[in-house]
Amino acid sequence: MKHKLSSVTLAILSATALNVASAQETEKQVADDVEIIEVSGIRQSLTNALAEKRSADSLVEVIQAVDIGKMPDQNLAEVLENITGVQITREAGVGTGVQIRGTNANRTEINGVSTVGSGSGRTGISFEDVSASMISAVEVIKSPQAKTIEGSVGGTINLRTIRPLQLDDTLGSFRIQGEDSSLSTDGIKPRVSAAWGDNWELDSGGEFGVVLSASYAEQDVTAFRPRADRDNVVAADSGAASAQSFDFLPIQFLIQDYDNYESETMNFAGSLEWAPTSNTKFFFDAVVNDQDRRQESSRVQASGVSDLRNVSVPTEFEYVNFGVLDGQDLGSIKAALKGVIPVEDGGGDANLRFSSDTNSRQTDSQIFRLGGEWQGDNLLFSVEASTSRSNSTTPSFNTTLNFINPNVAVNDSNENGTPFEYDLSGGALAFGIAQSEANAPTSAQLLDPANVVLRDVNQGRDTTENQEDAFRADFTYYFDELIRSVDFGYRYNKSSSTSDQIRDNVGLRSMAESPTGDLFAELLVAGPDNFNAADGRSLFIKDFLLVNPELAGSNPDYVLDVLNDAIVANNAITGSDRAPISSPTSQVSAFFDIEETTHALYAQANFEYEMFRGNFGVRYLQTDITSTGNSVTIDSNGDQVVSQIVSEADYDFLLPRINIIADVAEDVIVRLGWSKDIRRPDYDDLSTSVSYSTSPNTAVAIGNPGLEPEEVTSFDISTEWYFAPSALVSVGYFHKKREDLHVTKQVDPYEDPATGYRDTAGPQCEDGGVFNPIADINVFGPEPGVGVCVPTQTTVNDSDTRTQQGIELAFQYDLSSFENDLGWASGFGVMANYTYQESSGGEAIDNAISRANAVFALTTGISDIEVSAKQPLIDLSENAYNFTLYYEKYGFSARARYTWREGYRSEDFGSTSSYPWGFPVVQEDRGQLNASVSYDVNDQLNIGVEAVNLTESEVSQSCVNGGSLLCYQGLTDRRITFGVSYRF
């Protein structure tokens, strides 16, 4: 409804809007001649999305909300999973990463404005930070135009909010829901969202409109992630007590990860539009997000197991076929499947450790844009300014306790042995206390604070500040010729990323300096005892103690004070001079501040002649980069000397882009696209700073300020047949040539093939890697302590071209036109898509670690073998499909979607950051079923329920090759969301 709004009220609202600067690009308009079909609900959203796709002058995919605040999924990543050529990755079962045509190198915009992320990447805002309830449509641009902002390899994702002046009626909506997780123990979590909007005719002429939306959501998700390392060998002729008549892989390490994330997300979006005349419009948009993501995870691990590989005799074995890697047949070998790991002679190993992880993230992000447009007889002019900001703090207080088995001898070290039983059959990767052993601890002993000692305290309060300020001016001049219009414009943006690591890492390695748990018992709680809730396993560690992760996350200063009091009390008992643990401080060697300034010009001609339409043009950009970091050296007095290092670089690119559309028949469209784009390096890859970890497995990242942007040349061809009002059959082919691809160069330290030891003397690592002075020696040396050679990682440009190509198929149809024939059955509809993609080329390689080569020497018979493989594109599945069946009639709506993707190489493999065996793991084939049901009680009231991962599909990950050695599992939850919405 159009309402009258006084000039005084308008002046007040406009003055309020102008207090905040912001901007974006003019919203996309659907062609006037698109047929409007009066339907509602799911069909309306599908019909409108197809109409927009059909009229577009490049290859785009669109998803529109079914109703206000009702996208097809609660999570934006899972919304995008509905699109052909899009797959997603999940963390603890929740969609977090999006791959478009097999790559994570994409851009995310909101209303056409660039977003910035909470870390050092270039993809933009995290999808878990934005509520799907505030988004009216999602657009994925697969084939860019000259006016499309550069920076994407796979595609550009544009999240659109409701525009006030497009409203035909007053908008009002309220929705309240509850979400329940099958593995969480914290009960139902709330979700609330609301939207309101209207527009008015002004008494002075013109129109004014406003839309406001807000949401609040809590979420508690849990995943269980068992892990088993079998990356060493006991040779048949080794003479070891455990040796068999055949070579086999012994147990090296066992872990049960309990991942728990609790998030609290608040979103606000607001838009004001004022059209004082029919040819002039001003707008102001604001999007504000507040994300508090708390981690309360735990780990139970059997460490030091590798020391017993020559003693522990498995009771059952399995064959492992490593398959072929880059043309090299790696053969097969037997591996330990079941058995008992006894306590080492003398009581030293294997060690039982309990860790609590509170690696949380608190992110505040804002996006503002302010602009206007003027339409003349032949000229459209628009101008806008925008700013995107993201400030994140990642507080953490992680602790590890060693269990001191009272049934085993104790020595000077603050660890001793606990017997373990393992059973890796059936993909369970299960282990627990070997109760059959005489020195096995009881439940009461495992839960006795006097039997644990403090081993590690790792604190962090890292901060990251990302920002992009932009200004753009765009012009369109219209013709009545073959060239129907010409677009040209200018964009300026200044981007920056500042990172400061604020940390303190302390490791306690002797019994004398490690306080026992009874000295800080007020901090200890029993760990989660439901590790069998996902798959019903009987073998797991149920009883253990943790430093309360909730308390450590909410009040770290108090926890630190209690631990320091315990250290003081322990010093009085043992005579140790152990100093108190410090609060985290800035790690000057890890600080970086990177600024980029870009000027971009574009010109684009839009044409239409008979059956042909489209555009061609060019985009030119010039970028200057300044990278600031710190160099830390030691002077003659042993003091740190900090000096600032400033590196500068620049580059420019000319990016031609062409899109041709042919309406070859009334309902058949053929599209052709060719374009060039670039992908800028992540900010931390440009940093000159260095950061060390206490883990001996974590590679030290060494920045590369001279890293060049990747250049990608894309070709698309597709055919679309709109054979019914809301129906589509399409087939497409894409090809991408990627030059200067960003790849990882890792240099591993030497490990003695017999002992597995590395150089612990330092300060140089003559045989590769870098000396890390704070890393725990762990199993890489004969004595406990810190200081060991660790791997180095540097991002470099690949010297060879990488190509990607694929085929995309899509089908959409409903039976609504057969209502007279089918009656109630005419409510059914179906959507399906399939994507095939492959990658080839490139020169960068991954190398097997020393222990892996020792295994492959036995499986292949090549004594000096050094296995390597070309680096894969991470998260690329060759085959993937979605199938959605929906029903909508008589106020009843139901939808079920099954998503499947083939196995792919992944870097997400539990609580470690180094590649097992030297290669990314393979996440095996996996499908997931989501479903939703809702009912319109009346025109205003709707009730519904949604389910994610109905079948609780597990994640299986294999090392070396798919289907070879199972080494990781992910047991994820089923999430049910139910609620009610009211529209007025």
Side-chain angles (χ1 to χ4, degrees), residues 456-477:
D456 293 290
V457 178
N458 299 316
Q459 304 173 77
R461 297 176 188 174
D462 298 355
T463 61
T464 302
E465 297 179 5
N466 295 326
Q467 181 172 339
E468 178 173 301
D469 298 321
F471 169 83
R472 65 182 299 166
D474 299 277
F475 302 83
T476 301
Y477 193 84

Side-chain angles (χ1 to χ4, degrees), residues 95 139 161 265 274 366 369 406 433 510 619 701 802 835 893 925:
E139 177 186 36
T161 59
T265 307
W274 173 36
Q366 304 89 35
R369 74 165 180 140
I433 304 296
S510 70
R619 186 176 189 87
R802 179 72 63 96
T835 303
S893 294
D925 305 353

Side-chain angles (χ1 to χ4, degrees), residues 131 133-134 173 192-196 212-216 266-269:
S131 172
S133 65
M134 61 183 280
S173 172
V192 181
S193 61
W196 175 84
L212 304 173
S213 65
S215 68
Y216 172 84
M266 291 181 285
N267 299 121
F268 168 80

